[in-house]
Amino acid sequence: MSKELDIFNLSVDDLKTEEQTSSRNELYKTDPKKGKDSVYRAIIRFLPNINNPKKSIIKKFQYWLENNEGQGFYVDCPSSINEKSPIQDAFWKLYKSDSAFDKKQAERFKRKEYYYSYILVQKDPQNPELEGTVQIFRYPKAIKKLIDAQLQPEAEELEMGTQPVNVFDPFTGKDFLLKVILKGGFWNYDECKFSPNQDVISIKGVKMENNPESRKQILSIYEGIQAIEDHEFKPWTDEIRTKVNDFLMEVTGVVDKTGDSYSKIAGDSTSKEKTVSESTSNKVSTPPVEKAKPVEEPVSESAGDSDADIAAWLNEFGVS
Protein backbone atom coordinates (compact mmCIF):
# COMPACT_ATOMS: atom_id res chain seq x y z
CA MET A 1 0.00 0.00 0.00
CA SER A 2 2.85 2.40 0.78
CA LYS A 3 4.26 1.95 -2.72
CA GLU A 4 0.86 2.74 -4.20
CA LEU A 5 0.52 5.88 -2.14
CA ASP A 6 4.01 6.94 -3.13
CA ILE A 7 3.81 6.55 -6.90
CA PHE A 8 0.33 8.04 -7.14
CA ASN A 9 1.16 11.03 -4.98
CA LEU A 10 4.44 12.19 -6.48
CA SER A 11 4.84 15.94 -6.90
CA VAL A 12 7.01 17.89 -9.31
CA ASP A 13 9.14 19.02 -6.35
CA ASP A 14 9.93 15.37 -5.58
CA LEU A 15 11.56 14.97 -8.97
CA LYS A 16 12.94 18.26 -10.19
CA THR A 17 16.25 18.08 -8.32
CA GLU A 18 16.82 14.32 -8.77
CA GLU A 19 19.76 13.47 -11.00
CA GLN A 20 21.22 10.45 -9.67
CA THR A 21 17.38 -2.25 -14.40
CA SER A 22 10.86 -13.35 -15.22
CA SER A 23 13.46 -10.90 -14.39
CA ARG A 24 13.23 -8.66 -17.40
CA ASN A 25 16.70 -7.22 -17.48
CA GLU A 26 17.20 -5.95 -21.01
CA LEU A 27 17.10 -2.27 -21.74
CA TYR A 28 14.50 -0.86 -24.12
CA LYS A 29 16.21 -0.67 -27.51
CA THR A 30 15.44 2.12 -29.99
CA ASP A 31 17.71 1.13 -32.87
CA PRO A 32 16.81 3.28 -35.93
CA LYS A 33 17.97 0.50 -38.25
CA LYS A 34 14.99 -1.56 -37.12
CA GLY A 35 12.45 1.14 -38.02
CA LYS A 36 10.83 2.11 -41.28
CA ASP A 37 13.14 4.31 -43.35
CA SER A 38 15.78 3.91 -40.61
CA VAL A 39 13.65 5.83 -38.12
CA TYR A 40 12.56 4.32 -34.80
CA ARG A 41 9.11 5.59 -33.80
CA ALA A 42 7.29 4.86 -30.57
CA ILE A 43 5.01 6.46 -28.00
CA ILE A 44 6.10 5.89 -24.42
CA ARG A 45 5.17 7.15 -21.00
CA PHE A 46 7.69 7.80 -18.24
CA LEU A 47 6.76 6.02 -15.01
CA PRO A 48 7.87 6.51 -11.40
CA ASN A 49 10.26 4.13 -9.69
CA ILE A 50 7.97 1.76 -7.80
CA ASN A 51 10.65 1.13 -5.16
CA ASN A 52 11.55 4.78 -4.62
CA PRO A 53 9.38 7.26 -6.55
CA LYS A 54 11.61 10.21 -5.64
CA LYS A 55 14.44 8.43 -7.42
CA SER A 56 12.76 7.87 -10.76
CA ILE A 57 15.79 9.10 -12.70
CA ILE A 58 19.15 7.33 -12.41
CA LYS A 59 22.19 9.18 -13.75
CA LYS A 60 25.52 7.61 -14.60
CA PHE A 61 28.71 8.39 -16.53
CA GLN A 62 30.17 5.47 -18.42
CA TYR A 63 33.35 4.99 -20.44
CA TRP A 64 34.10 2.74 -23.37
CA LEU A 65 37.81 1.87 -23.20
CA GLU A 66 39.53 -0.03 -26.01
CA ASN A 67 43.13 -1.25 -26.03
CA ASN A 68 45.56 -1.41 -28.94
CA GLU A 69 44.33 -4.89 -29.86
CA GLY A 70 40.78 -3.63 -30.31
CA GLN A 71 39.48 -5.28 -27.14
CA GLY A 72 37.12 -2.95 -25.36
CA PHE A 73 34.91 -2.81 -22.29
CA TYR A 74 32.44 -0.49 -20.57
CA VAL A 75 33.20 0.85 -17.12
CA ASP A 76 31.20 3.11 -14.81
CA CYS A 77 32.97 6.35 -13.95
CA PRO A 78 33.35 7.12 -10.20
CA SER A 79 32.52 10.74 -11.02
CA SER A 80 28.92 9.47 -11.23
CA ILE A 81 28.90 9.56 -7.43
CA ASN A 82 31.25 12.54 -7.13
CA GLU A 83 34.29 10.41 -6.35
CA LYS A 84 37.76 10.90 -7.80
CA SER A 85 38.12 9.11 -11.13
CA PRO A 86 41.53 7.91 -12.39
CA ILE A 87 40.03 7.71 -15.88
CA GLN A 88 38.88 11.30 -15.78
CA ASP A 89 42.22 12.43 -14.33
CA ALA A 90 44.14 10.70 -17.11
CA PHE A 91 41.88 12.12 -19.81
CA TRP A 92 42.25 15.72 -18.70
CA LYS A 93 46.00 15.37 -18.29
CA LEU A 94 46.32 14.13 -21.87
CA TYR A 95 43.77 16.57 -23.24
CA LYS A 96 45.51 19.58 -21.69
CA SER A 97 48.99 18.40 -22.70
CA ASP A 98 51.10 20.41 -25.16
CA SER A 99 51.91 17.14 -26.93
CA ALA A 100 49.87 16.46 -30.07
CA PHE A 101 50.34 12.75 -29.45
CA ASP A 102 48.89 13.04 -25.93
CA LYS A 103 45.92 14.96 -27.30
CA LYS A 104 45.34 12.19 -29.81
CA GLN A 105 45.49 9.60 -27.03
CA ALA A 106 42.81 11.54 -25.16
CA GLU A 107 40.40 10.74 -27.99
CA ARG A 108 40.48 7.09 -26.89
CA PHE A 109 38.43 7.98 -23.80
CA LYS A 110 34.79 7.60 -24.89
CA ARG A 111 32.57 8.95 -22.11
CA LYS A 112 28.79 8.92 -22.20
CA GLU A 113 26.26 10.53 -19.90
CA TYR A 114 23.28 8.21 -19.46
CA TYR A 115 19.97 8.38 -17.62
CA TYR A 116 17.67 5.48 -16.74
CA SER A 117 13.93 5.48 -16.02
CA TYR A 118 10.96 3.15 -16.16
CA ILE A 119 8.66 3.63 -19.14
CA LEU A 120 5.35 2.21 -20.28
CA VAL A 121 5.40 1.38 -23.97
CA GLN A 122 2.17 2.78 -25.39
CA LYS A 123 2.81 2.12 -29.08
CA ASP A 124 5.81 0.57 -30.82
CA PRO A 125 5.40 -0.61 -34.45
CA GLN A 126 8.90 -2.11 -34.38
CA ASN A 127 8.16 -4.25 -31.29
CA PRO A 128 4.37 -4.50 -30.86
CA GLU A 129 4.80 -7.30 -28.32
CA LEU A 130 6.18 -4.71 -25.89
CA GLU A 131 3.08 -2.51 -25.99
CA GLY A 132 1.49 -2.29 -22.56
CA THR A 133 4.66 -3.40 -20.76
CA VAL A 134 7.05 -1.59 -18.44
CA GLN A 135 10.64 -1.36 -19.67
CA ILE A 136 13.84 0.29 -18.50
CA PHE A 137 14.85 3.06 -20.89
CA ARG A 138 18.39 4.37 -21.10
CA TYR A 139 18.41 7.83 -22.63
CA PRO A 140 20.88 10.65 -23.34
CA LYS A 141 21.15 14.15 -21.93
CA ALA A 142 19.08 15.55 -24.83
CA ILE A 143 15.98 13.72 -23.55
CA LYS A 144 16.78 14.58 -19.91
CA LYS A 145 16.65 18.25 -20.92
CA LEU A 146 13.15 17.74 -22.35
CA ILE A 147 12.05 16.16 -19.05
CA ASP A 148 13.58 19.01 -17.07
CA ALA A 149 11.77 21.55 -19.25
CA GLN A 150 8.48 19.95 -18.17
CA LEU A 151 9.37 19.61 -14.50
CA GLN A 152 11.03 23.02 -14.22
CA PRO A 153 9.89 25.51 -16.89
CA GLU A 154 12.12 28.56 -17.26
CA ALA A 155 11.14 31.75 -15.46
CA GLU A 156 9.99 33.40 -18.69
CA GLU A 157 7.65 30.48 -19.44
CA LEU A 158 6.24 30.55 -15.92
CA GLU A 159 5.49 34.25 -16.34
CA MET A 160 3.57 33.38 -19.52
CA GLY A 161 1.40 30.90 -17.63
CA THR A 162 3.24 27.64 -18.29
CA GLN A 163 2.76 25.24 -15.39
CA PRO A 164 5.22 22.53 -14.26
CA VAL A 165 4.13 19.06 -15.31
CA ASN A 166 5.14 15.88 -13.55
CA VAL A 167 5.60 13.71 -16.63
CA PHE A 168 6.02 10.64 -14.39
CA ASP A 169 2.47 10.90 -13.03
CA PRO A 170 0.25 8.11 -14.46
CA PHE A 171 -2.83 10.32 -14.47
CA THR A 172 -1.60 13.84 -15.18
CA GLY A 173 1.63 13.22 -17.11
CA LYS A 174 2.28 13.36 -20.85
CA ASP A 175 3.04 10.86 -23.58
CA PHE A 176 6.55 11.06 -24.97
CA LEU A 177 6.93 10.80 -28.73
CA LEU A 178 10.10 8.96 -29.66
CA LYS A 179 11.60 9.52 -33.08
CA VAL A 180 15.18 8.28 -33.26
CA ILE A 181 17.09 8.74 -36.51
CA LEU A 182 20.59 8.04 -37.75
CA LYS A 183 22.72 11.14 -38.12
CA GLY A 184 26.42 10.90 -38.85
CA GLY A 185 26.30 7.25 -37.84
CA PHE A 186 24.90 8.03 -34.39
CA TRP A 187 21.44 7.72 -32.88
CA ASN A 188 19.90 11.20 -32.95
CA TYR A 189 17.04 12.35 -30.68
CA ASP A 190 16.41 15.86 -32.04
CA GLU A 191 12.85 15.07 -33.15
CA CYS A 192 11.68 13.57 -29.86
CA LYS A 193 9.10 15.59 -27.93
CA PHE A 194 6.37 15.49 -25.32
CA SER A 195 2.74 15.63 -26.32
CA PRO A 196 1.28 19.13 -25.71
CA ASN A 197 -1.57 17.72 -23.63
CA GLN A 198 -1.65 15.96 -20.28
CA ASP A 199 -3.53 12.67 -20.19
CA VAL A 200 -3.95 9.44 -18.25
CA ILE A 201 -1.92 6.44 -19.34
CA SER A 202 -3.39 3.67 -21.45
CA ILE A 203 -2.62 0.00 -20.90
CA LYS A 204 -3.12 -2.11 -24.02
CA GLY A 205 -5.41 0.54 -25.46
CA VAL A 206 -7.52 1.03 -22.34
CA LYS A 207 -7.34 4.40 -20.61
CA MET A 208 -6.85 4.13 -16.87
CA GLU A 209 -8.94 6.05 -14.36
CA ASN A 210 -7.84 7.50 -11.06
CA ASN A 211 -9.58 4.85 -8.98
CA PRO A 212 -8.47 1.81 -6.88
CA GLU A 213 -9.08 -0.67 -9.71
CA SER A 214 -6.91 1.20 -12.20
CA ARG A 215 -4.22 1.81 -9.60
CA LYS A 216 -4.05 -1.91 -8.94
CA GLN A 217 -3.75 -2.58 -12.67
CA ILE A 218 -0.97 -0.02 -13.02
CA LEU A 219 0.97 -1.58 -10.15
CA SER A 220 0.59 -5.02 -11.73
CA ILE A 221 2.48 -4.06 -14.90
CA TYR A 222 5.66 -3.63 -12.84
CA GLU A 223 5.68 -7.33 -11.96
CA GLY A 224 8.91 -9.08 -12.97
CA ILE A 225 10.71 -5.89 -13.93
CA GLN A 226 14.33 -5.49 -12.89
CA ALA A 227 15.11 -2.97 -10.16
CA ILE A 228 16.22 0.24 -11.83
CA GLU A 229 18.78 0.65 -9.05
CA ASP A 230 20.74 -2.17 -10.69
CA HIS A 231 21.92 0.44 -13.20
CA GLU A 232 23.43 2.74 -10.61
CA PHE A 233 27.20 3.10 -10.31
CA LYS A 234 28.75 0.04 -8.72
CA PRO A 235 32.14 0.05 -6.97
CA TRP A 236 34.87 -1.44 -9.13
CA THR A 237 35.81 -5.06 -8.65
CA ASP A 238 39.47 -6.07 -8.63
CA GLU A 239 39.04 -7.32 -12.19
CA ILE A 240 37.67 -3.99 -13.42
CA ARG A 241 40.35 -2.03 -11.58
CA THR A 242 43.06 -4.15 -13.21
CA LYS A 243 41.57 -3.68 -16.67
CA VAL A 244 41.31 0.08 -16.15
CA ASN A 245 44.89 0.31 -14.87
CA ASP A 246 46.17 -1.74 -17.83
CA PHE A 247 44.35 0.56 -20.24
CA LEU A 248 45.64 3.73 -18.59
CA MET A 249 49.19 2.39 -18.55
CA GLU A 250 48.94 1.61 -22.27
CA VAL A 251 47.50 5.01 -23.17
CA THR A 252 49.67 7.17 -20.93
CA GLY A 253 52.87 5.12 -20.71
CA VAL A 254 52.84 5.58 -16.93
CA VAL A 255 52.77 2.64 -14.53
CA ASP A 256 50.68 2.89 -11.38
CA LYS A 257 51.72 0.00 -9.15
CA THR A 258 49.42 1.05 -6.32
CA GLY A 259 46.20 0.62 -8.28
CA ASP A 260 45.01 3.90 -6.81
CA SER A 261 44.13 7.05 -8.74
CA TYR A 262 46.73 8.08 -11.30
CA SER A 263 48.10 10.95 -9.22
CA LYS A 264 51.31 10.96 -11.21
CA ILE A 265 49.22 11.69 -14.31
CA ALA A 266 46.84 14.16 -12.73
CA GLY A 267 49.42 15.92 -10.54
CA ASP A 268 50.30 19.54 -11.05
CA SER A 269 54.09 19.29 -10.97
CA THR A 270 56.13 19.90 -14.12
CA SER A 271 58.17 16.77 -13.61
CA LYS A 272 55.10 14.55 -13.50
CA GLU A 273 53.70 16.14 -16.64
CA LYS A 274 57.00 15.57 -18.36
CA THR A 275 56.87 11.87 -17.47
CA VAL A 276 53.76 11.32 -19.60
CA SER A 277 55.03 13.36 -22.54
CA GLU A 278 58.46 11.74 -22.63
CA SER A 279 57.22 8.18 -22.21
CA THR A 280 54.76 8.53 -25.09
CA SER A 281 56.97 10.58 -27.41
CA ASN A 282 59.68 7.90 -27.20
CA LYS A 283 57.29 5.43 -28.77
CA VAL A 284 56.15 7.28 -31.87
CA SER A 285 56.77 10.54 -33.63
CA THR A 286 54.32 13.36 -33.00
CA PRO A 287 51.84 13.62 -35.89
CA PRO A 288 49.98 16.84 -36.69
CA VAL A 289 46.42 16.34 -35.44
CA GLU A 290 43.43 18.53 -34.77
CA LYS A 291 42.75 19.54 -31.20
CA ALA A 292 40.93 16.77 -29.36
CA LYS A 293 37.57 17.51 -27.79
CA PRO A 294 35.96 15.96 -24.72
CA VAL A 295 33.68 13.13 -25.77
CA GLU A 296 29.98 13.95 -25.41
CA GLU A 297 26.79 12.15 -26.26
CA PRO A 298 26.55 12.66 -30.07
CA VAL A 299 23.05 14.13 -30.13
CA SER A 300 21.69 17.55 -30.85
CA GLU A 301 20.22 19.47 -27.94
CA SER A 302 17.41 21.00 -30.01
CA ALA A 303 13.92 19.57 -30.24
CA GLY A 304 10.75 20.94 -31.79
CA ASP A 305 7.48 20.94 -29.90
CA SER A 306 4.91 22.84 -31.96
CA ASP A 307 1.38 21.43 -32.08
CA ALA A 308 1.57 21.24 -35.87
CA ASP A 309 4.79 19.22 -35.76
CA ILE A 310 3.34 16.85 -33.18
CA ALA A 311 0.11 16.37 -35.13
CA ALA A 312 2.07 15.54 -38.26
CA TRP A 313 4.28 13.20 -36.31
CA LEU A 314 1.30 11.35 -34.82
CA ASN A 315 -0.19 10.97 -38.28
CA GLU A 316 2.75 8.72 -39.10
CA PHE A 317 1.19 6.29 -36.59
CA GLY A 318 -2.32 6.84 -37.85
CA VAL A 319 -3.12 8.52 -34.54
CA SER A 320 -5.17 11.73 -34.68
Side-chain angles (χ1 to χ4, degrees):
M1 178 62 71
S2 61
K3 288 181 180 179
E4 178 177 341
L5 290 174
D6 282 340
I7 73 168
F8 295 118
N9 291 278
L10 191 62
S11 71
V12 169
D13 289 337
D14 289 328
L15 287 162
K16 66 181 182 180
T17 58
E18 185 64 53
E19 290 226 356
Q20 310 281 349
T21 80
S22 111
S23 179
R24 302 202 305 270
N25 55 11
E26 291 187 0
L27 295 172
Y28 181 62
K29 300 292 194 307
T30 57
D31 188 349
K33 295 179 181 178
K34 295 183 178 180
K36 182 180 179 181
D37 301 324
S38 294
V39 178
Y40 198 102
R41 297 176 175 87
I43 300 176
I44 64 173
R45 185 68 171 256
F46 286 95
L47 291 178
N49 180 0
I50 192 171
N51 298 312
N52 184 359
K54 293 185 179 181
K55 198 169 188 178
S56 294
I57 303 172
I58 300 292
K59 177 183 178 180
K60 180 168 67 176
F61 292 108
Q62 195 171 55
Y63 277 96
W64 171 255
L65 305 178
E66 189 173 302
N67 62 24
N68 289 336
E69 285 69 45
Q71 299 173 331
F73 62 99
Y74 283 106
V75 60
D76 292 350
C77 183
S79 63
S80 300
I81 53 173
N82 298 317
E83 290 188 356
K84 188 174 179 63
S85 169
I87 306 174
Q88 197 172 35
D89 289 347
F91 166 78
W92 284 114
K93 188 65 178 181
L94 294 172
Y95 175 66
K96 294 178 180 179
S97 171
D98 293 332
S99 165
F101 177 78
D102 287 352
K103 290 182 181 294
K104 189 65 177 177
Q105 290 293 80
E107 295 179 6
R108 295 175 60 178
F109 294 75
K110 312 292 186 182
R111 192 176 92 153
K112 304 288 187 182
E113 180 176 345
Y114 289 124
Y115 298 85
Y116 300 78
S117 292
Y118 286 124
I119 61 166
L120 174 66
V121 182
Q122 302 274 52
K123 190 172 184 65
D124 187 334
Q126 295 83 192
N127 296 287
E129 71 280 2
L130 296 181
E131 294 178 6
T133 68
V134 175
Q135 302 290 320
I136 294 177
F137 181 37
R138 183 179 73 182
Y139 51 97
K141 188 175 182 179
I143 290 182
K144 175 61 162 54
K145 286 186 174 182
L146 295 177
I147 294 175
D148 289 342
Q150 295 289 323
L151 297 175
Q152 306 174 76
E154 295 183 356
E156 295 80 2
E157 295 176 334
L158 291 172
E159 291 176 359
M160 296 297 293
T162 300
Q163 295 296 316
V165 176
N166 177 9
V167 295
F168 290 85
D169 190 291
F171 302 115
T172 62
K174 291 182 176 182
D175 289 346
F176 188 72
L177 315 177
L178 266 175
K179 188 173 182 180
V180 187
I181 64 177
L182 282 176
K183 189 173 183 179
F186 296 107
W187 296 10
N188 181 277
Y189 299 81
D190 284 2
E191 298 186 45
C192 295
K193 61 197 74 178
F194 278 100
S195 170
N197 302 315
Q198 296 175 247
D199 199 1
V200 299
I201 64 171
S202 298
I203 298 179
K204 296 189 179 298
V206 178
K207 283 186 176 293
M208 297 292 99
E209 298 179 7
N210 195 348
N211 58 39
E213 183 178 350
S214 287
R215 290 177 178 229
K216 183 176 181 180
Q217 188 171 352
I218 292 170
L219 290 172
S220 71
I221 62 178
Y222 284 91
E223 292 180 5
I225 192 68
Q226 183 186 17
I228 198 171
E229 289 80 4
D230 289 354
H231 289 284
E232 291 183 316
F233 171 83
K234 298 293 190 302
W236 291 355
T237 62
D238 290 341
E239 179 183 2
I240 290 295
R241 185 173 296 278
T242 297
K243 291 173 70 174
V244 170
N245 287 346
D246 288 346
F247 172 82
L248 295 181
M249 182 178 67
E250 176 181 285
V251 173
T252 66
V254 178
V255 179
D256 182 4
K257 296 181 180 180
T258 67
D260 295 329
S261 64
Y262 274 63
S263 57
K264 59 177 66 64
I265 301 171
D268 54 5
S269 71
T270 304
S271 60
K272 291 177 181 178
E273 183 171 356
K274 187 176 180 181
T275 302
V276 179
S277 179
E278 288 181 348
S279 60
T280 53
S281 60
N282 287 336
K283 295 181 181 180
V284 298
S285 60
T286 301
V289 296
E290 295 182 358
K291 185 176 181 180
K293 297 180 180 179
V295 178
E296 300 289 345
E297 182 69 21
V299 298
S300 171
E301 301 302 343
S302 62
D305 60 359
S306 71
D307 291 353
D309 287 342
I310 292 173
W313 196 92
L314 287 174
N315 284 336
E316 297 182 30
F317 284 104
V319 178
S320 57

